[in-house]
Amino acid sequence: LQALEKLVYSLWQGAQPGVDEFRDDLLEGLCPRLARLAGIHGVRLAVADSAVAPAAGRRMESHPPLPGAFLSLWVDCAGAADTWEPLIDPHVARRSGYLVVEAEPLVSQRTHPVAPGERVPGLCQVVFLRRPASLAREEWFSVWQGSHTGVAIETQSTFGYRQNVVVRAIGADTLPCDAIVEENFPEGAMASDHVFYDTGGDDNLLQQRMTAMLESCARFIDFEHIDVIPMSEYLVRPLG
């Protein structure tokens, strides 16, 4: 199997008049060009467009202004970024990036749209995490990946779950970040806690699952440095 590196970019909206125009500019003007480049084998885009407006209550902003899009690239060599970053810049006001190691504890349980560039049904929640100073790095990994991951999958309606551990930041003004999580939820989870926590409408179960998640998150998340962005996901060039 070919070894690939994964890069993720936070993108801030440029001169486009609105969030949907920003999405369309990236999907139609940028992503197809990236997908055709030699050395890029996968392209995924998440955008905070109007389709996720019902999820506004799930947004958490510790470091405003938050990016309006999140671009994932699977590449032969991250060191060749100067071949694709100049293509990104005309479409955005600002970008920052991270080289990451991706784990996928929950591979998507739903069939993705057939046509590249179509919206993946539901909500993609993108979460930027920082390790609390009180936890050593290995202890943090043990709690997050060794314990919390199972709690998250068991208590929520997540149908896709990706964990990106940051290896290094790319760019001088990139915000410090230890990990970025991408979680896929069904459409109804945007506005309904019962759907988000997969309770079937049971209020007691909802309280149990919300409490379990909050207590688990409190073990490893620095809530003063967390950003949560509800987004729509578009698979432009799936791997494979």
Side-chain angles (χ1 to χ4, degrees), residues 96-135:
S96 62
Y98 306 91
L99 174 66
V100 300
V101 173
E102 181 188 47
E104 198 164 8
L106 180 60
V107 178
S108 178
Q109 302 297 299
R110 297 191 174 187
T111 303
H112 292 309
V114 174
E118 287 189 2
R119 185 178 183 274
V120 176
L123 163 71
C124 181
Q125 186 167 267
V126 179
V127 184
F128 293 80
L129 298 175
R130 198 178 299 184
R131 175 176 57 86
S134 59
L135 286 181

mmCIF file of all heavy atoms in Angstrom, residues 96-135:
data_model
loop_
_atom_site.group_PDB
_atom_site.id
_atom_site.type_symbol
_atom_site.label_atom_id
_atom_site.label_comp_id
_atom_site.label_asym_id
_atom_site.label_seq_id
_atom_site.Cartn_x
_atom_site.Cartn_y
_atom_site.Cartn_z
ATOM 1 N N SER A 96 -4.655 28.422 7.423
ATOM 2 C CA SER A 96 -3.640 27.844 8.296
ATOM 3 C C SER A 96 -3.751 26.343 8.168
ATOM 4 O O SER A 96 -4.800 25.812 7.791
ATOM 5 C CB SER A 96 -3.830 28.284 9.752
ATOM 6 O OG SER A 96 -5.078 27.843 10.254
ATOM 7 N N GLY A 97 -2.669 25.635 8.433
ATOM 8 C CA GLY A 97 -2.686 24.201 8.166
ATOM 9 C C GLY A 97 -1.981 23.384 9.229
ATOM 10 O O GLY A 97 -1.221 23.904 10.064
ATOM 11 N N TYR A 98 -2.255 22.075 9.169
ATOM 12 C CA TYR A 98 -1.633 21.122 10.083
ATOM 13 C C TYR A 98 -1.327 19.834 9.332
ATOM 14 O O TYR A 98 -2.147 19.365 8.527
ATOM 15 C CB TYR A 98 -2.558 20.777 11.255
ATOM 16 C CG TYR A 98 -3.071 21.961 12.038
ATOM 17 C CD1 TYR A 98 -4.268 22.579 11.695
ATOM 18 C CD2 TYR A 98 -2.355 22.455 13.132
ATOM 19 C CE1 TYR A 98 -4.741 23.665 12.416
ATOM 20 C CE2 TYR A 98 -2.831 23.543 13.862
ATOM 21 C CZ TYR A 98 -4.028 24.145 13.496
ATOM 22 O OH TYR A 98 -4.502 25.213 14.212
ATOM 23 N N LEU A 99 -0.168 19.285 9.602
ATOM 24 C CA LEU A 99 0.129 17.912 9.196
ATOM 25 C C LEU A 99 -0.372 17.028 10.323
ATOM 26 O O LEU A 99 -0.055 17.253 11.491
ATOM 27 C CB LEU A 99 1.636 17.731 9.000
ATOM 28 C CG LEU A 99 2.117 16.305 8.699
ATOM 29 C CD1 LEU A 99 1.603 15.829 7.355
ATOM 30 C CD2 LEU A 99 3.640 16.246 8.739
ATOM 31 N N VAL A 100 -1.180 16.009 9.970
ATOM 32 C CA VAL A 100 -1.820 15.202 11.013
ATOM 33 C C VAL A 100 -1.638 13.714 10.733
ATOM 34 O O VAL A 100 -1.342 13.297 9.606
ATOM 35 C CB VAL A 100 -3.335 15.516 11.110
ATOM 36 C CG1 VAL A 100 -3.563 16.985 11.436
ATOM 37 C CG2 VAL A 100 -4.071 15.127 9.830
ATOM 38 N N VAL A 101 -1.847 12.930 11.774
ATOM 39 C CA VAL A 101 -1.971 11.485 11.658
ATOM 40 C C VAL A 101 -3.428 11.152 11.929
ATOM 41 O O VAL A 101 -3.963 11.494 12.988
ATOM 42 C CB VAL A 101 -1.059 10.745 12.657
ATOM 43 C CG1 VAL A 101 -1.335 9.242 12.617
ATOM 44 C CG2 VAL A 101 0.402 11.024 12.346
ATOM 45 N N GLU A 102 -4.071 10.521 10.965
ATOM 46 C CA GLU A 102 -5.507 10.258 11.052
ATOM 47 C C GLU A 102 -5.794 8.844 11.544
ATOM 48 O O GLU A 102 -5.176 7.875 11.116
ATOM 49 C CB GLU A 102 -6.155 10.435 9.675
ATOM 50 C CG GLU A 102 -7.667 10.194 9.670
ATOM 51 C CD GLU A 102 -8.237 10.185 8.262
ATOM 52 O OE1 GLU A 102 -7.657 9.507 7.385
ATOM 53 O OE2 GLU A 102 -9.263 10.855 8.039
ATOM 54 N N ALA A 103 -6.744 8.752 12.476
ATOM 55 C CA ALA A 103 -7.317 7.475 12.883
ATOM 56 C C ALA A 103 -8.819 7.553 12.612
ATOM 57 O O ALA A 103 -9.409 8.634 12.671
ATOM 58 C CB ALA A 103 -7.063 7.204 14.366
ATOM 59 N N GLU A 104 -9.419 6.421 12.320
ATOM 60 C CA GLU A 104 -10.857 6.389 12.012
ATOM 61 C C GLU A 104 -11.525 5.301 12.859
ATOM 62 O O GLU A 104 -11.791 4.200 12.385
ATOM 63 C CB GLU A 104 -11.078 6.142 10.520
ATOM 64 C CG GLU A 104 -12.463 6.515 10.038
ATOM 65 C CD GLU A 104 -12.549 6.629 8.518
ATOM 66 O OE1 GLU A 104 -11.571 6.273 7.824
ATOM 67 O OE2 GLU A 104 -13.587 7.093 8.039
ATOM 68 N N PRO A 105 -11.806 5.620 14.135
ATOM 69 C CA PRO A 105 -12.394 4.615 15.016
ATOM 70 C C PRO A 105 -13.767 4.141 14.565
ATOM 71 O O PRO A 105 -14.179 3.038 14.895
ATOM 72 C CB PRO A 105 -12.495 5.332 16.364
ATOM 73 C CG PRO A 105 -11.662 6.537 16.255
ATOM 74 C CD PRO A 105 -11.553 6.880 14.815
ATOM 75 N N LEU A 106 -14.483 4.997 13.839
ATOM 76 C CA LEU A 106 -15.792 4.620 13.313
ATOM 77 C C LEU A 106 -15.841 4.999 11.843
ATOM 78 O O LEU A 106 -16.015 6.160 11.496
ATOM 79 C CB LEU A 106 -16.916 5.320 14.087
ATOM 80 C CG LEU A 106 -18.340 5.008 13.640
ATOM 81 C CD1 LEU A 106 -18.646 3.520 13.776
ATOM 82 C CD2 LEU A 106 -19.341 5.838 14.441
ATOM 83 N N VAL A 107 -15.637 4.013 10.988
ATOM 84 C CA VAL A 107 -15.727 4.244 9.542
ATOM 85 C C VAL A 107 -17.179 4.496 9.200
ATOM 86 O O VAL A 107 -18.086 3.851 9.759
ATOM 87 C CB VAL A 107 -15.175 3.029 8.763
ATOM 88 C CG1 VAL A 107 -15.320 3.247 7.265
ATOM 89 C CG2 VAL A 107 -13.718 2.789 9.138
ATOM 90 N N SER A 108 -17.425 5.439 8.312
ATOM 91 C CA SER A 108 -18.792 5.842 8.000
ATOM 92 C C SER A 108 -19.699 4.647 7.762
ATOM 93 O O SER A 108 -19.392 3.757 6.976
ATOM 94 C CB SER A 108 -18.812 6.746 6.768
ATOM 95 O OG SER A 108 -20.136 7.087 6.440
ATOM 96 N N GLN A 109 -20.827 4.649 8.462
ATOM 97 C CA GLN A 109 -21.791 3.563 8.353
ATOM 98 C C GLN A 109 -22.857 3.844 7.302
ATOM 99 O O GLN A 109 -23.829 3.105 7.189
ATOM 100 C CB GLN A 109 -22.473 3.347 9.712
ATOM 101 C CG GLN A 109 -21.498 3.037 10.834
ATOM 102 C CD GLN A 109 -20.755 1.732 10.602
ATOM 103 O OE1 GLN A 109 -21.355 0.677 10.514
ATOM 104 N NE2 GLN A 109 -19.444 1.816 10.487
ATOM 105 N N ARG A 110 -22.680 4.911 6.550
ATOM 106 C CA ARG A 110 -23.663 5.276 5.535
ATOM 107 C C ARG A 110 -23.000 5.329 4.165
ATOM 108 O O ARG A 110 -21.816 5.593 4.033
ATOM 109 C CB ARG A 110 -24.297 6.633 5.853
ATOM 110 C CG ARG A 110 -25.066 6.613 7.171
ATOM 111 C CD ARG A 110 -25.895 7.855 7.317
ATOM 112 N NE ARG A 110 -26.742 7.759 8.509
ATOM 113 C CZ ARG A 110 -27.673 8.634 8.822
ATOM 114 N NH1 ARG A 110 -27.884 9.678 8.049
ATOM 115 N NH2 ARG A 110 -28.397 8.496 9.912
ATOM 116 N N THR A 111 -23.788 5.108 3.141
ATOM 117 C CA THR A 111 -23.285 5.173 1.777
ATOM 118 C C THR A 111 -23.106 6.632 1.390
ATOM 119 O O THR A 111 -24.032 7.433 1.502
ATOM 120 C CB THR A 111 -24.266 4.502 0.800
ATOM 121 O OG1 THR A 111 -24.475 3.158 1.220
ATOM 122 C CG2 THR A 111 -23.712 4.529 -0.605
ATOM 123 N N HIS A 112 -21.911 6.962 0.953
ATOM 124 C CA HIS A 112 -21.657 8.325 0.540
ATOM 125 C C HIS A 112 -22.320 8.593 -0.813
ATOM 126 O O HIS A 112 -22.579 7.671 -1.582
ATOM 127 C CB HIS A 112 -20.152 8.573 0.420
ATOM 128 C CG HIS A 112 -19.442 8.547 1.732
ATOM 129 N ND1 HIS A 112 -19.870 9.279 2.815
ATOM 130 C CD2 HIS A 112 -18.336 7.888 2.141
ATOM 131 C CE1 HIS A 112 -19.055 9.070 3.827
ATOM 132 N NE2 HIS A 112 -18.112 8.226 3.441
ATOM 133 N N PRO A 113 -22.593 9.873 -1.119
ATOM 134 C CA PRO A 113 -23.137 10.192 -2.439
ATOM 135 C C PRO A 113 -22.250 9.634 -3.538
ATOM 136 O O PRO A 113 -21.027 9.603 -3.409
ATOM 137 C CB PRO A 113 -23.134 11.722 -2.449
ATOM 138 C CG PRO A 113 -23.192 12.104 -1.005
ATOM 139 C CD PRO A 113 -22.412 11.052 -0.269
ATOM 140 N N VAL A 114 -22.853 9.199 -4.621
ATOM 141 C CA VAL A 114 -22.099 8.592 -5.716
ATOM 142 C C VAL A 114 -21.244 9.628 -6.420
ATOM 143 O O VAL A 114 -20.075 9.398 -6.714
ATOM 144 C CB VAL A 114 -23.066 7.910 -6.712
ATOM 145 C CG1 VAL A 114 -22.291 7.411 -7.932
ATOM 146 C CG2 VAL A 114 -23.812 6.766 -6.039
ATOM 147 N N ALA A 115 -21.815 10.795 -6.684
ATOM 148 C CA ALA A 115 -21.107 11.812 -7.459
ATOM 149 C C ALA A 115 -20.144 12.594 -6.567
ATOM 150 O O ALA A 115 -20.553 13.111 -5.520
ATOM 151 C CB ALA A 115 -22.104 12.765 -8.108
ATOM 152 N N PRO A 116 -18.870 12.676 -6.943
ATOM 153 C CA PRO A 116 -17.922 13.486 -6.166
ATOM 154 C C PRO A 116 -18.403 14.932 -6.068
ATOM 155 O O PRO A 116 -18.935 15.493 -7.022
ATOM 156 C CB PRO A 116 -16.634 13.390 -6.983
ATOM 157 C CG PRO A 116 -16.757 12.109 -7.741
ATOM 158 C CD PRO A 116 -18.229 11.992 -8.067
ATOM 159 N N GLY A 117 -18.249 15.506 -4.904
ATOM 160 C CA GLY A 117 -18.643 16.892 -4.713
ATOM 161 C C GLY A 117 -20.043 17.077 -4.172
ATOM 162 O O GLY A 117 -20.429 18.190 -3.821
ATOM 163 N N GLU A 118 -20.828 16.005 -4.090
ATOM 164 C CA GLU A 118 -22.153 16.115 -3.503
ATOM 165 C C GLU A 118 -22.060 16.138 -1.980
ATOM 166 O O GLU A 118 -21.130 15.591 -1.385
ATOM 167 C CB GLU A 118 -23.045 14.954 -3.957
ATOM 168 C CG GLU A 118 -23.486 15.059 -5.402
ATOM 169 C CD GLU A 118 -24.528 14.012 -5.754
ATOM 170 O OE1 GLU A 118 -24.933 13.237 -4.859
ATOM 171 O OE2 GLU A 118 -24.932 13.968 -6.921
ATOM 172 N N ARG A 119 -23.057 16.734 -1.371
ATOM 173 C CA ARG A 119 -23.068 16.867 0.081
ATOM 174 C C ARG A 119 -23.333 15.520 0.748
ATOM 175 O O ARG A 119 -24.241 14.800 0.375
ATOM 176 C CB ARG A 119 -24.140 17.869 0.492
ATOM 177 C CG ARG A 119 -24.171 18.183 1.976
ATOM 178 C CD ARG A 119 -25.248 19.236 2.267
ATOM 179 N NE ARG A 119 -25.240 19.603 3.680
ATOM 180 C CZ ARG A 119 -25.896 18.945 4.629
ATOM 181 N NH1 ARG A 119 -26.625 17.881 4.311
ATOM 182 N NH2 ARG A 119 -25.830 19.353 5.877
ATOM 183 N N VAL A 120 -22.507 15.203 1.745
ATOM 184 C CA VAL A 120 -22.761 14.018 2.560
ATOM 185 C C VAL A 120 -23.948 14.339 3.470
ATOM 186 O O VAL A 120 -23.922 15.342 4.179
ATOM 187 C CB VAL A 120 -21.524 13.648 3.407
ATOM 188 C CG1 VAL A 120 -21.838 12.471 4.318
ATOM 189 C CG2 VAL A 120 -20.348 13.318 2.503
ATOM 190 N N PRO A 121 -24.997 13.533 3.468
ATOM 191 C CA PRO A 121 -26.167 13.840 4.292
ATOM 192 C C PRO A 121 -25.791 13.976 5.772
ATOM 193 O O PRO A 121 -24.955 13.236 6.286
ATOM 194 C CB PRO A 121 -27.081 12.619 4.072
ATOM 195 C CG PRO A 121 -26.669 12.080 2.743
ATOM 196 C CD PRO A 121 -25.190 12.317 2.662
ATOM 197 N N GLY A 122 -26.430 14.922 6.426
ATOM 198 C CA GLY A 122 -26.211 15.089 7.847
ATOM 199 C C GLY A 122 -25.307 16.251 8.195
ATOM 200 O O GLY A 122 -25.144 17.206 7.435
ATOM 201 N N LEU A 123 -24.712 16.156 9.359
ATOM 202 C CA LEU A 123 -23.873 17.193 9.945
ATOM 203 C C LEU A 123 -22.466 16.658 10.133
ATOM 204 O O LEU A 123 -22.280 15.541 10.608
ATOM 205 C CB LEU A 123 -24.459 17.602 11.304
ATOM 206 C CG LEU A 123 -23.572 18.374 12.281
ATOM 207 C CD1 LEU A 123 -23.335 19.794 11.773
ATOM 208 C CD2 LEU A 123 -24.219 18.407 13.669
ATOM 209 N N CYS A 124 -21.468 17.462 9.771
ATOM 210 C CA CYS A 124 -20.078 17.141 10.102
ATOM 211 C C CYS A 124 -19.618 18.150 11.148
ATOM 212 O O CYS A 124 -19.515 19.351 10.867
ATOM 213 C CB CYS A 124 -19.183 17.215 8.866
ATOM 214 S SG CYS A 124 -17.455 16.802 9.213
ATOM 215 N N GLN A 125 -19.386 17.666 12.350
ATOM 216 C CA GLN A 125 -18.950 18.532 13.433
ATOM 217 C C GLN A 125 -17.423 18.478 13.526
ATOM 218 O O GLN A 125 -16.850 17.428 13.791
ATOM 219 C CB GLN A 125 -19.585 18.062 14.745
ATOM 220 C CG GLN A 125 -19.315 18.961 15.920
ATOM 221 C CD GLN A 125 -20.208 18.630 17.111
ATOM 222 O OE1 GLN A 125 -21.269 19.208 17.265
ATOM 223 N NE2 GLN A 125 -19.779 17.719 17.945
ATOM 224 N N VAL A 126 -16.793 19.630 13.276
ATOM 225 C CA VAL A 126 -15.333 19.723 13.303
ATOM 226 C C VAL A 126 -14.923 20.374 14.621
ATOM 227 O O VAL A 126 -15.382 21.471 14.960
ATOM 228 C CB VAL A 126 -14.807 20.532 12.105
ATOM 229 C CG1 VAL A 126 -13.291 20.643 12.154
ATOM 230 C CG2 VAL A 126 -15.246 19.874 10.791
ATOM 231 N N VAL A 127 -14.054 19.683 15.375
ATOM 232 C CA VAL A 127 -13.700 20.114 16.722
ATOM 233 C C VAL A 127 -12.182 20.255 16.832
ATOM 234 O O VAL A 127 -11.439 19.308 16.555
ATOM 235 C CB VAL A 127 -14.207 19.109 17.780
ATOM 236 C CG1 VAL A 127 -13.913 19.624 19.185
ATOM 237 C CG2 VAL A 127 -15.694 18.828 17.597
ATOM 238 N N PHE A 128 -11.734 21.432 17.256
ATOM 239 C CA PHE A 128 -10.315 21.691 17.487
ATOM 240 C C PHE A 128 -10.036 21.570 18.981
ATOM 241 O O PHE A 128 -10.659 22.262 19.791
ATOM 242 C CB PHE A 128 -9.935 23.088 16.993
ATOM 243 C CG PHE A 128 -10.015 23.244 15.503
ATOM 244 C CD1 PHE A 128 -11.227 23.465 14.867
ATOM 245 C CD2 PHE A 128 -8.870 23.161 14.721
ATOM 246 C CE1 PHE A 128 -11.311 23.605 13.488
ATOM 247 C CE2 PHE A 128 -8.929 23.296 13.347
ATOM 248 C CZ PHE A 128 -10.151 23.522 12.727
ATOM 249 N N LEU A 129 -9.107 20.689 19.344
ATOM 250 C CA LEU A 129 -8.822 20.381 20.745
ATOM 251 C C LEU A 129 -7.402 20.783 21.125
ATOM 252 O O LEU A 129 -6.476 20.681 20.316
ATOM 253 C CB LEU A 129 -8.970 18.872 20.998
ATOM 254 C CG LEU A 129 -10.339 18.237 20.769
ATOM 255 C CD1 LEU A 129 -10.233 16.726 20.952
ATOM 256 C CD2 LEU A 129 -11.371 18.809 21.723
ATOM 257 N N ARG A 130 -7.259 21.176 22.396
ATOM 258 C CA ARG A 130 -5.938 21.412 22.953
ATOM 259 C C ARG A 130 -5.807 20.604 24.253
ATOM 260 O O ARG A 130 -6.741 20.528 25.047
ATOM 261 C CB ARG A 130 -5.720 22.902 23.236
ATOM 262 C CG ARG A 130 -4.245 23.249 23.408
ATOM 263 C CD ARG A 130 -4.040 24.727 23.635
ATOM 264 N NE ARG A 130 -4.501 25.549 22.531
ATOM 265 C CZ ARG A 130 -4.349 26.883 22.491
ATOM 266 N NH1 ARG A 130 -3.746 27.509 23.488
ATOM 267 N NH2 ARG A 130 -4.799 27.564 21.465
ATOM 268 N N ARG A 131 -4.677 20.006 24.436
ATOM 269 C CA ARG A 131 -4.437 19.198 25.641
ATOM 270 C C ARG A 131 -4.325 20.100 26.868
ATOM 271 O O ARG A 131 -3.594 21.079 26.856
ATOM 272 C CB ARG A 131 -3.140 18.397 25.462
ATOM 273 C CG ARG A 131 -2.713 17.609 26.683
ATOM 274 C CD ARG A 131 -1.474 16.771 26.388
ATOM 275 N NE ARG A 131 -0.348 17.562 25.928
ATOM 276 C CZ ARG A 131 0.526 18.170 26.725
ATOM 277 N NH1 ARG A 131 0.405 18.073 28.047
ATOM 278 N NH2 ARG A 131 1.533 18.859 26.220
ATOM 279 N N PRO A 132 -5.056 19.777 27.947
ATOM 280 C CA PRO A 132 -4.915 20.560 29.172
ATOM 281 C C PRO A 132 -3.491 20.472 29.720
ATOM 282 O O PRO A 132 -2.849 19.425 29.650
ATOM 283 C CB PRO A 132 -5.901 19.892 30.140
ATOM 284 C CG PRO A 132 -6.849 19.123 29.277
ATOM 285 C CD PRO A 132 -6.063 18.703 28.074
ATOM 286 N N ALA A 133 -3.007 21.555 30.282
ATOM 287 C CA ALA A 133 -1.653 21.579 30.830
ATOM 288 C C ALA A 133 -1.480 20.586 31.969
ATOM 289 O O ALA A 133 -0.369 20.145 32.260
ATOM 290 C CB ALA A 133 -1.321 22.993 31.306
ATOM 291 N N SER A 134 -2.580 20.205 32.601
ATOM 292 C CA SER A 134 -2.505 19.294 33.742
ATOM 293 C C SER A 134 -2.274 17.842 33.332
ATOM 294 O O SER A 134 -1.969 17.001 34.186
ATOM 295 C CB SER A 134 -3.803 19.371 34.556
ATOM 296 O OG SER A 134 -4.922 19.021 33.742
ATOM 297 N N LEU A 135 -2.406 17.539 32.044
ATOM 298 C CA LEU A 135 -2.241 16.164 31.569
ATOM 299 C C LEU A 135 -0.972 16.013 30.749
ATOM 300 O O LEU A 135 -0.728 16.793 29.824
ATOM 301 C CB LEU A 135 -3.432 15.741 30.700
ATOM 302 C CG LEU A 135 -4.762 15.435 31.380
ATOM 303 C CD1 LEU A 135 -5.782 15.009 30.328
ATOM 304 C CD2 LEU A 135 -4.605 14.350 32.430
#
